[in-house]
Amino acid sequence: MIVVMKKSATQAQLDEVLRRITDIGLSGHLSQGIERTVVGVVGQTHPELKDMLEMLAGVEDVIPISRPYKLSSREFQPESTVVQVGGVSVGGGELTVMAGPCAVETEEQVLSTARAVKAAGANILRGGAFKPSTSPYSFRGLGEEGLKILATARKETGLPLITEVLTVRDVELVARYADILQLGARNMQNFILLEEVGKTGKPVMLKRGLSSTIQEWLLASEYILATGNRQVILCERGIRTFETYTRNTFDVSAIPIIHKVSHLPIIADPSHGSGKWYLVTPLALAAVAAGADGIMVEVHPNPDVALKDGAQSLTFENFEQLMARLAEMAPIFGHSLPARAPAGASPQPHR
Ligand code: PEP
Ligand code: MN
């Protein structure tokens, strides 16, 4: 349930509400918006609690939150969350463009990609040093050496880094290098990991699970938010359906649904959402038209020899073309692009 404070409520009255909530073993989470101050009550609430809280001085109203997810809901926080990371705002109007290789392979590969995506207008560098892998025999990442390479690329280009953390064991290590911690689809319901990542206080991007409903996804985000970390970004990366032509089915409807029911920003990942490089641009454009706060795209200097996800990776040239198309259409949908995109015609993508 949420406790809506009166406009005239004092700090002492707010403190008293928070104290009562913690006294009975629940936790209170503050949302101080422009319009109103709200306390979200999380834990096993009971009907008498509403009467008790309503009687306290400074309280305007006590409203049960109808949805199972609480802190991620728009009922708790009507204003959209904007996550700040290294000078980049995720959410709030500017389109965020995260780009880079699926996996860190070599310093040269990462540096050349970072330079190319930056020149084309990306504002966050992606790349996996710890890779989740369906087969234990395929490439699983360079580990800390990969993180060091990413940090070198950040130093040269100034682009903040997003990279995945796979296990609780590596949270501390990855958090030392990353600006945003990525929680992958396969770990969306790894609840202990969600909490540990939340406790770092760093921005977290939570990808949608392979077969997860929107409600399960938002409930997973609650584990991070409940640690007090409000810097959560969601990422739609496609879900498993009966269709086999594409690697996953990109659920474009999830984007407006998330904006309706939640205040968290949402990024679209058309690379994993399709598995095919030539579908990346059309899906990215569809996602932006549907209201996505940004995109995450895999880019590789030579996708044909990529150690991971080459089939869905864009060449530098195709990424530039995607950015040019985005520059044309983003303003129509109320977004601005982070930086310049190359001008000129939009030729057909090719490899
Ligand atoms: C990735 O972003 O490289 C990745 C492994 O994605 P997902 O968790 O969505 O499969
Ligand atoms: Mn990948």
Short mmCIF file of all heavy atoms in Angstrom, two decimals, residues 10-70:
data_model
loop_
_atom_site.label_atom_id
_atom_site.label_comp_id
_atom_site.label_asym_id
_atom_site.label_seq_id
_atom_site.Cartn_x
_atom_site.Cartn_y
_atom_site.Cartn_z
N THR A 10 4.94 17.78 7.77
CA THR A 10 6.29 18.16 8.18
C THR A 10 7.22 16.94 8.09
O THR A 10 6.75 15.79 8.00
CB THR A 10 6.30 18.64 9.65
OG1 THR A 10 5.88 17.54 10.46
CG2 THR A 10 5.36 19.83 9.85
N GLN A 11 8.51 17.19 8.18
CA GLN A 11 9.50 16.09 8.16
C GLN A 11 9.28 15.17 9.36
O GLN A 11 9.39 13.94 9.24
CB GLN A 11 10.92 16.69 8.19
CG GLN A 11 12.03 15.67 8.07
CD GLN A 11 11.99 14.89 6.75
OE1 GLN A 11 11.80 15.48 5.69
NE2 GLN A 11 12.13 13.56 6.84
N ALA A 12 8.93 15.77 10.50
CA ALA A 12 8.71 14.97 11.71
C ALA A 12 7.53 14.01 11.51
O ALA A 12 7.57 12.85 11.96
CB ALA A 12 8.46 15.90 12.90
N GLN A 13 6.50 14.49 10.84
CA GLN A 13 5.33 13.63 10.59
C GLN A 13 5.70 12.50 9.63
O GLN A 13 5.28 11.35 9.81
CB GLN A 13 4.17 14.48 10.02
CG GLN A 13 3.58 15.41 11.08
CD GLN A 13 2.63 16.45 10.49
OE1 GLN A 13 2.67 16.76 9.30
NE2 GLN A 13 1.77 16.99 11.34
N LEU A 14 6.51 12.83 8.66
CA LEU A 14 6.96 11.81 7.70
C LEU A 14 7.82 10.77 8.43
O LEU A 14 7.65 9.55 8.24
CB LEU A 14 7.76 12.49 6.58
CG LEU A 14 8.31 11.61 5.48
CD1 LEU A 14 7.19 10.88 4.74
CD2 LEU A 14 9.11 12.45 4.47
N ASP A 15 8.71 11.23 9.28
CA ASP A 15 9.58 10.32 10.05
C ASP A 15 8.73 9.39 10.92
O ASP A 15 9.05 8.21 11.07
CB ASP A 15 10.54 11.12 10.93
CG ASP A 15 11.59 11.85 10.09
OD1 ASP A 15 11.75 11.49 8.91
OD2 ASP A 15 12.24 12.78 10.64
N GLU A 16 7.67 9.93 11.48
CA GLU A 16 6.82 9.13 12.35
C GLU A 16 6.11 8.02 11.54
O GLU A 16 6.02 6.88 11.98
CB GLU A 16 5.79 10.05 13.05
CG GLU A 16 4.77 9.36 13.95
CD GLU A 16 5.40 8.58 15.13
OE1 GLU A 16 6.61 8.76 15.40
OE2 GLU A 16 4.66 7.77 15.74
N VAL A 17 5.66 8.37 10.35
CA VAL A 17 5.02 7.36 9.49
C VAL A 17 6.04 6.24 9.19
O VAL A 17 5.74 5.05 9.32
CB VAL A 17 4.51 8.01 8.18
CG1 VAL A 17 4.11 6.96 7.16
CG2 VAL A 17 3.35 8.95 8.47
N LEU A 18 7.25 6.63 8.83
CA LEU A 18 8.29 5.64 8.51
C LEU A 18 8.62 4.78 9.73
O LEU A 18 8.82 3.57 9.63
CB LEU A 18 9.55 6.35 8.00
CG LEU A 18 9.43 6.96 6.59
CD1 LEU A 18 10.58 7.92 6.31
CD2 LEU A 18 9.41 5.86 5.52
N ARG A 19 8.65 5.42 10.92
CA ARG A 19 8.97 4.69 12.14
C ARG A 19 7.89 3.64 12.44
O ARG A 19 8.19 2.49 12.75
CB ARG A 19 9.11 5.66 13.32
CG ARG A 19 9.76 5.04 14.55
CD ARG A 19 9.82 6.00 15.72
NE ARG A 19 8.50 6.40 16.20
CZ ARG A 19 7.71 5.64 16.95
NH1 ARG A 19 8.09 4.44 17.33
NH2 ARG A 19 6.53 6.09 17.34
N ARG A 20 6.62 4.04 12.30
CA ARG A 20 5.52 3.09 12.56
C ARG A 20 5.60 1.88 11.61
O ARG A 20 5.34 0.75 12.00
CB ARG A 20 4.16 3.77 12.35
CG ARG A 20 3.83 4.82 13.36
CD ARG A 20 3.57 4.19 14.74
NE ARG A 20 3.01 5.17 15.63
CZ ARG A 20 1.72 5.24 15.95
NH1 ARG A 20 0.87 4.35 15.52
NH2 ARG A 20 1.27 6.21 16.73
N ILE A 21 5.96 2.18 10.37
CA ILE A 21 6.03 1.09 9.38
C ILE A 21 7.15 0.11 9.74
O ILE A 21 6.95 -1.11 9.75
CB ILE A 21 6.24 1.69 7.96
CG1 ILE A 21 4.98 2.46 7.53
CG2 ILE A 21 6.56 0.60 6.95
CD1 ILE A 21 5.17 3.35 6.31
N THR A 22 8.30 0.65 10.11
CA THR A 22 9.42 -0.26 10.44
C THR A 22 9.19 -0.98 11.76
O THR A 22 9.59 -2.12 11.93
CB THR A 22 10.78 0.47 10.46
OG1 THR A 22 10.59 1.81 10.86
CG2 THR A 22 11.45 0.47 9.13
N ASP A 23 8.50 -0.31 12.70
CA ASP A 23 8.21 -0.92 14.01
C ASP A 23 7.44 -2.22 13.88
O ASP A 23 7.57 -3.12 14.71
CB ASP A 23 7.39 0.05 14.88
CG ASP A 23 8.32 1.02 15.62
OD1 ASP A 23 9.55 0.91 15.41
OD2 ASP A 23 7.81 1.87 16.39
N ILE A 24 6.59 -2.31 12.85
CA ILE A 24 5.81 -3.55 12.71
C ILE A 24 6.44 -4.51 11.70
O ILE A 24 5.80 -5.43 11.20
CB ILE A 24 4.33 -3.27 12.36
CG1 ILE A 24 4.25 -2.31 11.17
CG2 ILE A 24 3.56 -2.72 13.55
CD1 ILE A 24 2.83 -2.13 10.67
N GLY A 25 7.72 -4.27 11.43
CA GLY A 25 8.48 -5.25 10.63
C GLY A 25 8.32 -5.09 9.12
O GLY A 25 8.71 -5.97 8.37
N LEU A 26 7.76 -3.96 8.70
CA LEU A 26 7.63 -3.73 7.25
C LEU A 26 8.68 -2.70 6.83
O LEU A 26 9.33 -2.10 7.69
CB LEU A 26 6.22 -3.22 6.92
CG LEU A 26 5.08 -4.15 7.35
CD1 LEU A 26 3.73 -3.50 7.15
CD2 LEU A 26 5.14 -5.46 6.58
N SER A 27 8.82 -2.49 5.52
CA SER A 27 9.76 -1.43 5.15
C SER A 27 9.05 -0.32 4.37
O SER A 27 8.12 -0.59 3.60
CB SER A 27 10.96 -1.98 4.38
OG SER A 27 10.52 -2.71 3.28
N GLY A 28 9.49 0.89 4.62
CA GLY A 28 8.89 2.07 3.98
C GLY A 28 9.87 2.64 2.97
O GLY A 28 11.04 2.82 3.26
N HIS A 29 9.37 2.91 1.76
CA HIS A 29 10.23 3.45 0.70
C HIS A 29 9.66 4.78 0.25
O HIS A 29 8.49 4.87 -0.14
CB HIS A 29 10.30 2.48 -0.48
CG HIS A 29 10.95 1.20 -0.12
ND1 HIS A 29 12.28 0.93 -0.38
CD2 HIS A 29 10.47 0.10 0.52
CE1 HIS A 29 12.58 -0.27 0.07
NE2 HIS A 29 11.50 -0.80 0.62
N LEU A 30 10.50 5.77 0.27
CA LEU A 30 10.06 7.14 0.00
C LEU A 30 10.10 7.47 -1.49
O LEU A 30 11.05 7.15 -2.17
CB LEU A 30 11.01 8.07 0.75
CG LEU A 30 10.49 9.43 1.17
CD1 LEU A 30 9.22 9.29 2.01
CD2 LEU A 30 11.56 10.17 1.98
N SER A 31 9.03 8.11 -1.96
CA SER A 31 9.04 8.67 -3.31
C SER A 31 8.65 10.13 -3.19
O SER A 31 7.50 10.46 -2.90
CB SER A 31 8.04 7.90 -4.19
OG SER A 31 7.71 8.66 -5.33
N GLN A 32 9.66 11.01 -3.37
CA GLN A 32 9.39 12.43 -3.22
C GLN A 32 9.26 13.06 -4.60
O GLN A 32 10.24 13.45 -5.21
CB GLN A 32 10.50 13.11 -2.40
CG GLN A 32 9.95 13.63 -1.10
CD GLN A 32 10.97 13.64 0.04
OE1 GLN A 32 12.06 13.08 -0.09
NE2 GLN A 32 10.59 14.27 1.14
N GLY A 33 8.01 13.10 -5.11
CA GLY A 33 7.78 13.67 -6.43
C GLY A 33 7.54 15.17 -6.34
O GLY A 33 7.56 15.75 -5.26
N ILE A 34 7.32 15.77 -7.50
CA ILE A 34 7.06 17.22 -7.53
C ILE A 34 5.68 17.48 -6.93
O ILE A 34 5.47 18.42 -6.16
CB ILE A 34 7.11 17.74 -8.99
CG1 ILE A 34 8.43 17.32 -9.64
CG2 ILE A 34 6.92 19.24 -9.07
CD1 ILE A 34 8.39 17.20 -11.14
N GLU A 35 4.75 16.59 -7.26
CA GLU A 35 3.37 16.79 -6.83
C GLU A 35 3.10 16.33 -5.39
O GLU A 35 2.33 16.93 -4.67
CB GLU A 35 2.43 16.00 -7.76
CG GLU A 35 2.31 16.61 -9.15
CD GLU A 35 1.70 18.00 -9.11
OE1 GLU A 35 0.68 18.18 -8.42
OE2 GLU A 35 2.26 18.91 -9.74
N ARG A 36 3.71 15.22 -5.01
CA ARG A 36 3.36 14.65 -3.71
C ARG A 36 4.48 13.77 -3.16
O ARG A 36 5.31 13.26 -3.91
CB ARG A 36 2.07 13.83 -3.81
CG ARG A 36 2.16 12.77 -4.88
CD ARG A 36 0.88 11.98 -5.01
NE ARG A 36 1.16 10.72 -5.70
CZ ARG A 36 0.33 9.71 -5.78
NH1 ARG A 36 -0.86 9.76 -5.23
NH2 ARG A 36 0.66 8.60 -6.41
N THR A 37 4.44 13.62 -1.83
CA THR A 37 5.37 12.70 -1.19
C THR A 37 4.59 11.44 -0.81
O THR A 37 3.51 11.51 -0.21
CB THR A 37 5.97 13.35 0.07
OG1 THR A 37 6.76 14.46 -0.36
CG2 THR A 37 6.85 12.38 0.83
N VAL A 38 5.18 10.31 -1.19
CA VAL A 38 4.48 9.04 -0.99
C VAL A 38 5.42 8.08 -0.28
O VAL A 38 6.62 8.08 -0.55
CB VAL A 38 4.07 8.49 -2.38
CG1 VAL A 38 3.77 7.02 -2.33
CG2 VAL A 38 2.90 9.26 -2.95
N VAL A 39 4.86 7.27 0.64
CA VAL A 39 5.66 6.21 1.24
C VAL A 39 5.09 4.87 0.77
O VAL A 39 3.89 4.61 0.98
CB VAL A 39 5.63 6.28 2.79
CG1 VAL A 39 6.49 5.17 3.39
CG2 VAL A 39 6.09 7.64 3.29
N GLY A 40 5.89 4.07 0.13
CA GLY A 40 5.46 2.74 -0.29
C GLY A 40 5.72 1.78 0.87
O GLY A 40 6.82 1.74 1.40
N VAL A 41 4.70 1.02 1.24
CA VAL A 41 4.86 0.08 2.35
C VAL A 41 5.03 -1.31 1.74
O VAL A 41 4.16 -1.79 1.01
CB VAL A 41 3.63 0.09 3.28
CG1 VAL A 41 3.88 -0.78 4.51
CG2 VAL A 41 3.30 1.52 3.70
N VAL A 42 6.15 -1.92 2.04
CA VAL A 42 6.44 -3.22 1.44
C VAL A 42 6.58 -4.28 2.52
O VAL A 42 7.20 -4.05 3.56
CB VAL A 42 7.72 -3.14 0.59
CG1 VAL A 42 8.01 -4.48 -0.05
CG2 VAL A 42 7.57 -2.09 -0.49
N GLY A 43 6.00 -5.43 2.25
CA GLY A 43 6.01 -6.53 3.21
C GLY A 43 4.60 -7.07 3.30
O GLY A 43 3.73 -6.70 2.50
N GLN A 44 4.37 -7.96 4.24
CA GLN A 44 3.04 -8.55 4.41
C GLN A 44 2.11 -7.55 5.09
O GLN A 44 2.09 -7.44 6.31
CB GLN A 44 3.14 -9.82 5.26
CG GLN A 44 3.57 -11.05 4.51
CD GLN A 44 2.51 -11.54 3.52
OE1 GLN A 44 1.32 -11.25 3.69
NE2 GLN A 44 2.92 -12.25 2.50
N THR A 45 1.36 -6.80 4.30
CA THR A 45 0.47 -5.80 4.91
C THR A 45 -0.86 -6.47 5.28
O THR A 45 -1.19 -7.54 4.78
CB THR A 45 0.21 -4.63 3.94
OG1 THR A 45 -0.32 -5.17 2.73
CG2 THR A 45 1.48 -3.86 3.64
N HIS A 46 -1.61 -5.82 6.15
CA HIS A 46 -2.92 -6.36 6.54
C HIS A 46 -3.93 -5.20 6.58
O HIS A 46 -3.53 -4.03 6.73
CB HIS A 46 -2.84 -7.09 7.90
CG HIS A 46 -2.16 -6.28 8.95
ND1 HIS A 46 -2.83 -5.36 9.72
CD2 HIS A 46 -0.86 -6.20 9.32
CE1 HIS A 46 -1.97 -4.77 10.53
NE2 HIS A 46 -0.76 -5.27 10.31
N PRO A 47 -5.23 -5.47 6.48
CA PRO A 47 -6.22 -4.40 6.33
C PRO A 47 -6.21 -3.38 7.47
O PRO A 47 -6.42 -2.19 7.23
CB PRO A 47 -7.56 -5.14 6.29
CG PRO A 47 -7.23 -6.54 5.94
CD PRO A 47 -5.84 -6.81 6.40
N GLU A 48 -5.94 -3.82 8.72
CA GLU A 48 -5.98 -2.86 9.84
C GLU A 48 -4.88 -1.80 9.73
O GLU A 48 -4.97 -0.73 10.32
CB GLU A 48 -5.80 -3.56 11.20
CG GLU A 48 -6.83 -4.63 11.52
CD GLU A 48 -6.42 -5.97 10.93
OE1 GLU A 48 -5.50 -6.58 11.48
OE2 GLU A 48 -7.02 -6.40 9.93
N LEU A 49 -3.85 -2.15 8.98
CA LEU A 49 -2.74 -1.22 8.82
C LEU A 49 -3.20 0.09 8.18
O LEU A 49 -2.77 1.18 8.56
CB LEU A 49 -1.67 -1.89 7.94
CG LEU A 49 -0.37 -1.13 7.75
CD1 LEU A 49 0.35 -0.97 9.08
CD2 LEU A 49 0.53 -1.85 6.76
N LYS A 50 -4.12 -0.05 7.25
CA LYS A 50 -4.65 1.14 6.56
C LYS A 50 -5.28 2.10 7.58
O LYS A 50 -4.97 3.30 7.59
CB LYS A 50 -5.69 0.68 5.52
CG LYS A 50 -6.38 1.80 4.76
CD LYS A 50 -7.15 1.21 3.57
CE LYS A 50 -8.27 2.11 3.06
NZ LYS A 50 -7.87 3.41 2.62
N ASP A 51 -6.10 1.56 8.47
CA ASP A 51 -6.75 2.41 9.50
C ASP A 51 -5.70 3.06 10.39
O ASP A 51 -5.77 4.24 10.71
CB ASP A 51 -7.70 1.58 10.37
CG ASP A 51 -8.80 0.96 9.53
OD1 ASP A 51 -9.07 1.52 8.45
OD2 ASP A 51 -9.37 -0.07 9.94
N MET A 52 -4.71 2.26 10.78
CA MET A 52 -3.69 2.77 11.69
C MET A 52 -2.91 3.93 11.05
O MET A 52 -2.72 4.97 11.66
CB MET A 52 -2.75 1.60 12.06
CG MET A 52 -1.77 1.85 13.16
SD MET A 52 -0.23 2.54 12.55
CE MET A 52 0.71 1.05 12.27
N LEU A 53 -2.51 3.74 9.80
CA LEU A 53 -1.70 4.77 9.13
C LEU A 53 -2.53 6.01 8.80
O LEU A 53 -2.04 7.13 8.86
CB LEU A 53 -1.06 4.20 7.87
CG LEU A 53 0.02 3.14 8.10
CD1 LEU A 53 0.41 2.46 6.79
CD2 LEU A 53 1.26 3.75 8.76
N GLU A 54 -3.79 5.80 8.50
CA GLU A 54 -4.65 6.94 8.15
C GLU A 54 -4.83 7.93 9.30
O GLU A 54 -5.08 9.11 9.08
CB GLU A 54 -6.04 6.44 7.71
CG GLU A 54 -6.16 6.38 6.21
CD GLU A 54 -7.41 5.63 5.74
OE1 GLU A 54 -8.22 5.18 6.59
OE2 GLU A 54 -7.56 5.48 4.53
N MET A 55 -4.68 7.41 10.52
CA MET A 55 -4.90 8.27 11.69
C MET A 55 -3.70 9.16 11.99
O MET A 55 -3.80 10.10 12.78
CB MET A 55 -5.20 7.40 12.91
CG MET A 55 -6.61 6.86 12.85
SD MET A 55 -7.07 5.88 14.27
CE MET A 55 -5.60 5.25 14.92
N LEU A 56 -2.56 8.84 11.40
CA LEU A 56 -1.35 9.60 11.74
C LEU A 56 -1.39 11.02 11.16
O LEU A 56 -1.92 11.24 10.07
CB LEU A 56 -0.11 8.87 11.23
CG LEU A 56 0.15 7.50 11.84
CD1 LEU A 56 1.40 6.87 11.22
CD2 LEU A 56 0.33 7.60 13.35
N ALA A 57 -0.80 11.94 11.91
CA ALA A 57 -0.77 13.34 11.48
C ALA A 57 0.02 13.47 10.18
O ALA A 57 1.05 12.80 10.00
CB ALA A 57 -0.12 14.19 12.57
N GLY A 58 -0.47 14.30 9.30
CA GLY A 58 0.24 14.57 8.05
C GLY A 58 -0.13 13.62 6.93
O GLY A 58 0.32 13.79 5.80
N VAL A 59 -0.94 12.58 7.25
CA VAL A 59 -1.29 11.60 6.21
C VAL A 59 -2.56 12.04 5.49
O VAL A 59 -3.57 12.34 6.11
CB VAL A 59 -1.48 10.20 6.83
CG1 VAL A 59 -2.06 9.22 5.81
CG2 VAL A 59 -0.14 9.68 7.36
N GLU A 60 -2.49 12.07 4.17
CA GLU A 60 -3.67 12.46 3.39
C GLU A 60 -4.52 11.25 3.05
O GLU A 60 -5.72 11.26 3.18
CB GLU A 60 -3.19 13.14 2.09
CG GLU A 60 -4.28 13.32 1.08
CD GLU A 60 -4.37 14.75 0.58
OE1 GLU A 60 -3.87 15.66 1.27
OE2 GLU A 60 -4.96 14.93 -0.47
N ASP A 61 -3.84 10.17 2.62
CA ASP A 61 -4.61 9.00 2.18
C ASP A 61 -3.73 7.76 2.25
O ASP A 61 -2.50 7.85 2.15
CB ASP A 61 -5.05 9.24 0.72
CG ASP A 61 -6.31 8.45 0.38
OD1 ASP A 61 -6.80 7.72 1.25
OD2 ASP A 61 -6.78 8.59 -0.77
N VAL A 62 -4.38 6.61 2.41
CA VAL A 62 -3.65 5.34 2.35
C VAL A 62 -4.34 4.49 1.29
O VAL A 62 -5.53 4.20 1.39
CB VAL A 62 -3.65 4.61 3.71
CG1 VAL A 62 -2.92 3.28 3.61
CG2 VAL A 62 -3.01 5.49 4.77
N ILE A 63 -3.58 4.15 0.23
CA ILE A 63 -4.20 3.48 -0.92
C ILE A 63 -3.52 2.12 -1.14
O ILE A 63 -2.30 2.06 -1.28
CB ILE A 63 -4.03 4.33 -2.20
CG1 ILE A 63 -4.48 5.78 -1.95
CG2 ILE A 63 -4.78 3.73 -3.37
CD1 ILE A 63 -4.01 6.77 -3.01
N PRO A 64 -4.31 1.06 -1.17
CA PRO A 64 -3.68 -0.23 -1.48
C PRO A 64 -3.19 -0.22 -2.92
O PRO A 64 -3.83 0.36 -3.80
CB PRO A 64 -4.83 -1.24 -1.32
CG PRO A 64 -6.00 -0.48 -0.80
CD PRO A 64 -5.76 0.98 -1.01
N ILE A 65 -2.02 -0.81 -3.18
CA ILE A 65 -1.56 -0.93 -4.57
C ILE A 65 -2.14 -2.23 -5.09
O ILE A 65 -1.93 -3.30 -4.52
CB ILE A 65 -0.01 -0.93 -4.66
CG1 ILE A 65 0.53 0.40 -4.14
CG2 ILE A 65 0.45 -1.16 -6.10
CD1 ILE A 65 2.03 0.61 -4.35
N SER A 66 -2.88 -2.10 -6.19
CA SER A 66 -3.62 -3.27 -6.67
C SER A 66 -2.71 -4.31 -7.31
O SER A 66 -3.02 -5.48 -7.35
CB SER A 66 -4.67 -2.81 -7.67
OG SER A 66 -4.06 -1.97 -8.62
N ARG A 67 -1.54 -3.88 -7.79
CA ARG A 67 -0.71 -4.84 -8.51
C ARG A 67 0.30 -5.49 -7.57
O ARG A 67 0.68 -4.89 -6.57
CB ARG A 67 0.05 -4.11 -9.62
CG ARG A 67 -0.90 -3.37 -10.57
CD ARG A 67 -0.11 -2.72 -11.67
NE ARG A 67 -0.90 -1.74 -12.40
CZ ARG A 67 -1.65 -2.03 -13.47
NH1 ARG A 67 -1.73 -3.27 -13.89
NH2 ARG A 67 -2.31 -1.09 -14.10
N PRO A 68 0.74 -6.70 -7.91
CA PRO A 68 1.67 -7.40 -7.01
C PRO A 68 3.04 -6.72 -6.91
O PRO A 68 3.72 -6.84 -5.91
CB PRO A 68 1.80 -8.80 -7.60
CG PRO A 68 1.24 -8.72 -8.96
CD PRO A 68 0.31 -7.54 -9.03
N TYR A 69 3.44 -6.04 -7.99
CA TYR A 69 4.70 -5.29 -7.89
C TYR A 69 4.34 -3.92 -7.34
O TYR A 69 3.29 -3.36 -7.64
CB TYR A 69 5.39 -5.20 -9.26
CG TYR A 69 4.45 -4.95 -10.40
CD1 TYR A 69 4.13 -3.65 -10.78
CD2 TYR A 69 3.85 -6.00 -11.08
CE1 TYR A 69 3.24 -3.41 -11.82
CE2 TYR A 69 2.96 -5.76 -12.10
CZ TYR A 69 2.66 -4.47 -12.46
OH TYR A 69 1.76 -4.24 -13.49
N LYS A 70 5.20 -3.40 -6.50
CA LYS A 70 4.86 -2.18 -5.76
C LYS A 70 5.78 -1.02 -6.13
O LYS A 70 5.35 -0.02 -6.67
CB LYS A 70 4.99 -2.43 -4.23
CG LYS A 70 4.32 -3.72 -3.76
CD LYS A 70 2.83 -3.61 -3.77
CE LYS A 70 2.18 -4.93 -3.32
NZ LYS A 70 0.76 -4.98 -3.60
#
